[in-house]
Amino acid sequence: RSLVKIASAALCTLALSATSSFAADPVKLRISTPAVESDWHAKMLTVFKDELEKTAPGEFDVEIHLNASLFKQGTEPAAMQRGNLDMAMISAQDIAKQIPAWSVFTAGYLIRDPDHQKKVFNSDIGQKFYKMVADDMNIEILDVGYLGTRELNLASDKKITTPDDLDGVKLRMPGSDAWLFLGNALGADATPLAFGEVYTGLQTGTIDGQDNPLPTVKAVKFYEVTKQIVLTDHLVDAIFLSMAKDTYDDLSAEQQEKVQEAAAVATAYNNEKRIADEKSLVDFFKSEGLKVYAPDVPAFRKKVQDAYLESEFAQDWPDGIVDQINAVK
Ligand code: KDO
């Protein structure tokens, strides 16, 4: 009898420790990004982590890996799909490699501004495109963040007015077809290079320029190795805070809700900071000795829009999608 008691007590302890260790084990969320610490979308990851710590104390262990130290730029979706990474901030260009319809969001001069971007992705259009990513890539997009409006940033001080002025300019773009197409559509000679190598490329002259939003030009100090910023406004860029669907599906409904809420708080923080920065940074770059001016933007818009509409990319866009995006007010 006492043996039975001892045995059942032992079982009880086992069961208890199994439950309590399960409850105490936080869900590890490893995030990889090429972003540098001082850029807003890197800081937004800390906001995400802090928010989760507040709303779900001890339930998550968010690990942030910056500077592409965990996975190379552009390889994050595959890493999430293989089960090697839980979260990343992925681009429309990354997604378009696997879902060609997504290339519509890589087209220059389509999304008008950050407000339009948020509204498009919060609408049925966004829901439909997010579902494609969940179904075809097994990745859950939590929210869209505004990466900023991309501008040209060149090492030479030759005045740029129209796309013809970029003839022969070796313009670094991130390494994928969709990115290179955009660089060439602007009139430059697009050349691929990883984000982490751009500063040295500009410094040593292996590239003549790069394109990025102004807050990133500041965060990575590209202004130290360039002479001008041409305000082409060619791409209102987005970054999608995402989670491997297997990781997401393993969370409880309550945890999923907290993750969604934390993502919304984080992207709101990023967007507010970036939009404010974009308004004030022109003066900063001028004070650093750079020329900052607007070219003939309608000439760039026409060249780029024509290039996309005639491209093979456009053949994969859902019927009527450009009109639907334009109609979002
Ligand atoms: C870049 O390489 O120029 C880019 O801006 C592309 C974006 O999609 C994104 O990968 C970003 O770099 C990184 O997050 C670094 O800011």
Side-chain angles (χ1 to χ4, degrees), residues 33-36 39 41 73 89 91 93 147 150 172 174 179 195 210-213 216 237-239:
T33 173
V36 297
D39 213 343
H41 59 313
Q73 181 179 30
M89 295 182 287
S91 64
Q93 292 78 1
L147 189 66
R150 296 182 83 95
R172 173 273 169 179
W179 280 116
F195 184 73
Q210 65 93 28
D211 86 308
N212 252 297
T216 297
D237 207 1
I239 204 93

Side-chain angles (χ1 to χ4, degrees), residues 40-186:
W40 295 116
H41 59 313
K43 293 187 182 173
M44 133 180 152
L45 296 177
T46 305
V47 172
F48 175 78
K49 178 183 164 90
D50 292 350
E51 185 64 22
L52 270 186
E53 202 43 58
K54 226 172 23 189
T55 59
E59 285 186 49
F60 294 94
D61 175 11
V62 179
E63 233 181 48
I64 304 167
H65 298 267
L66 303 175
N67 305 307
S69 56
L70 200 55
F71 287 98
K72 279 195 201 149
Q73 181 179 30
T75 65
E76 303 91 345
M80 286 194 281
Q81 288 169 298
R82 282 197 310 267
N84 292 338
L85 180 67
D86 304 297
M87 290 183 68
M89 295 182 287
I90 61 179
S91 64
Q93 292 78 1
D94 291 331
I95 300 170
K97 284 189 212 162
Q98 296 188 47
I99 307 177
W102 260 81
S103 65
V104 69
F105 295 115
T106 71
Y109 298 108
L110 178 61
I111 298 292
R112 294 187 297 269
D113 53 47
D115 183 53
H116 185 218
Q117 178 181 75
K118 193 92 202 169
K119 285 182 178 152
V120 167
F121 287 104
N122 282 346
S123 75
D124 295 351
I125 303 171
Q127 295 320 302
K128 192 168 124 192
F129 275 79
Y130 286 0
K131 188 167 182 313
M132 290 180 205
V133 177
D135 293 348
D136 301 353
M137 291 175 70
N138 208 28
I139 289 176
E140 185 75 27
I141 292 182
L142 302 175
D143 209 344
V144 59
Y146 173 57
L147 189 66
T149 299
R150 296 182 83 95
E151 319 286 4
L152 292 178
N153 174 211
L154 307 177
S156 88
D157 59 5
K158 178 193 165 192
K159 181 144 200 246
I160 304 297
T161 308
T162 67
D164 285 348
D165 297 325
L166 288 177
D167 191 28
V169 170
K170 222 171 171 197
L171 181 69
R172 173 273 169 179
M173 299 298 289
S176 83
D177 289 351
W179 280 116
L180 295 170
F181 187 89
L182 177 60
N184 290 323
L186 288 162

